[in-house]
Amino acid sequence: MTQASRTSAYRRLSDHLDKNSDGYGPLRGTLGTARMGMIWLAANLVVTTLLTGTLFVPGISWGLAVGMIVLGTLIGGSVLVLVGNMGTRTGLATMSLTKGSFGLRGSFLPVAANVIILMGWSWVQAMLAGVTVNFLVEQATGFSSPVLFSVLCQLLVVCLAIFGHTGIARVEPWLALVILAFMAYIFTTAFLAYGPADFAAIPQDAAAGWTPVATLDVVIATAISWTVLSAEFNRLARTQAAGMIGSGVGYVLSTVLAMTLGATAIGYVVLDGGEAVPFDPTVIVAAFGAPLAVVIFLSVMATNTMVVYGMVASVVNMAPSRRVTFLPTAIVLGVISILGSTWLALLDQFTAFLTVIGALFIPVFAVMLVDYYVLKSRHYGRDILRARGGEYWYRGGVNIAAVLVWLVGAGASLLLTYRVPSPIGATIPTFVLSAVLYLAWAAATGRIDRTRRPHVHLLDLPEESPARADR
C-alpha cells in the first residue's frame, strides 16, 4: 500500500467522522419523552453508579443509605435537568453553553476541567471492566493480569468511540432493559434470602468513616458528574417537556435503582458472612455469579464509549473552527485514556475523585443557571457561536466575575469537605454560595436583563451578516 493511499484512507475516515459527529453549533432535537427517558435510564445503569452504593453499607444503616440515595438524587437531578433544559432551548452542548457565562475564551477553563473529569471516568470504568474480566479469567484458567485486561477493555472502548458511537447510542436503551432484568434477579435473590428487616439490622461500622451527610454529598456529586453531559443528551429532545420529564424520570430511576442495588448487594454479602469490601466488582460477582460480570462488562462498554466520545466532542467544539477535527483528537485522547487505564490505584481514591468533581463543577453549574435563567432572561443569542466579539466577549473573551466565583466556590467546597465540616455537607452550601455571589455581582453591576424576550431556538434566530461574522 502506498503512502498516498494510506493518507487518502485516513482523510476519508476523518472527513466521514467530522460529517457524522455532532459538529459545532446548535442541533434541533426530534426525540420524545419516552425516548429521552430511555437514554437517561441507560446512561446511568452503569457499574460505577452501582458500586457507589457499595460504599455506604455498613458505614451507615441500609435504610438510611437508601433514604440518602433518594434525597441526593432528587437534589442533584434538579441541577442536571435545568442545565439539560438549556440544551433543549438553545440546541447547544453543555460546554458550549459555558460561553454564555464564562465568555468565549473563558469557557476554555471549564472545558479543560470537563475533559480531565471525563478522562478520569473513562479510566475508572475501564479498570472496573478489566478487574471484572480478570476475575472470570483467573477463576477459569488461573491467569491474572488486571492491568492487561483494563488496557484491552479501554482499547475496545476507544475503537467503539471512533467507529461505533452511533450504533452504541442506538443499542444502549436495549442494553438497559437487559441490565434492569438482571437487577430484578439480584433484588429477588437478595430479598428471598433475607428480608428488609435483616438488611436494616446490619450493624453499622463507624470505622468505615461514612455519615448520612457524607453519603448525601457523594450522591449529589454523582449527579453533578453526569450534568457535564446533560445538555448533549437533552438537546436531542423535541420539546422542553420531553427533555425535562425524560431526563428527570430516567436519571432518578436509574440512579436510585443502581445505587440501592449496590447497597443491597453489599448488604447481602455481609449477611451471608462475607467481608464488605467497597467498590470492588469481584465481591458482588462472586456472590451473584458470572451473569453479573457480563452485565458489568456490557454496561462499561456502552457508557464508556459515550464518555470518550463526549470528551472528544468537548475538545472539537471548543471553538468555531475546523482546525481541531474529530479523528486526530480522538486518537490523542484515546491513547491517553488507554495509558491511564493502567493506573489501578485510582480505584482506591474514587470518593476523592467524586469530591474533586463536585468542587470543580458545582460552582460552574451554579453560575450557568443564574446567568441563563436570571441574568440573561432565559435567552442566549447567536453571538454565542462567534469566535470573538459580541455580547459574550466580556473583557478579552473572559468573564472575570464568573471565573472568580468559580475559584471561590471550588475553594469553599474543598474547605467544607476537608477542613470545616458542614452539618449539611459541602455540595449544597457550595452551590448556594456560588449562585449568591454571582447574582450579587450581576445586581451590583446592573447586568440583570429584566426584559421578557420570547424563547427562540438558536437555529431560528437570523444569521449575522457576513460583515459581522467571524471567520
Side-chain angles (χ1 to χ4, degrees), residues 75-76 78-86 97 101-102 224 227 230 362-378 380 431 435 438-439:
I75 294 172
S78 63
V79 175
L80 181 147
V81 169
L82 287 172
V83 173
N85 189 50
M86 292 168 62
L97 286 164
S101 50
F102 284 83
I224 297 301
T227 305
S230 61
I362 289 171
V364 169
F365 295 133
V367 168
M368 287 176 66
L369 292 177
V370 171
D371 188 81
Y372 182 74
Y373 288 101
V374 181
L375 272 61
K376 302 299 195 310
S377 191
R378 296 178 297 173
Y380 280 155
F431 184 90
Y438 192 67
L439 185 59

Side-chain angles (χ1 to χ4, degrees), residues 371 375-376 394-395 399-402 436-450:
D371 188 81
L375 272 61
K376 302 299 195 310
Y394 295 100
R395 181 167 297 180
N399 183 0
I400 299 298
V436 168
L437 285 177
Y438 192 67
L439 185 59
W441 163 78
T445 55
R447 293 179 179 269
I448 300 178
D449 183 358
R450 302 190 184 279

Side-chain angles (χ1 to χ4, degrees), residues 128-162:
L128 291 173
V131 167
T132 302
V133 172
N134 179 76
F135 176 77
L136 293 180
V137 172
E138 185 177 16
Q139 292 288 310
T141 68
F143 175 78
S144 176
S145 179
V147 170
L148 172 63
F149 289 115
S150 297
V151 168
L152 291 176
C153 287
Q154 188 62 9
L155 178 62
L156 177 57
V157 163
V158 171
C159 291
L160 289 171
I162 294 175

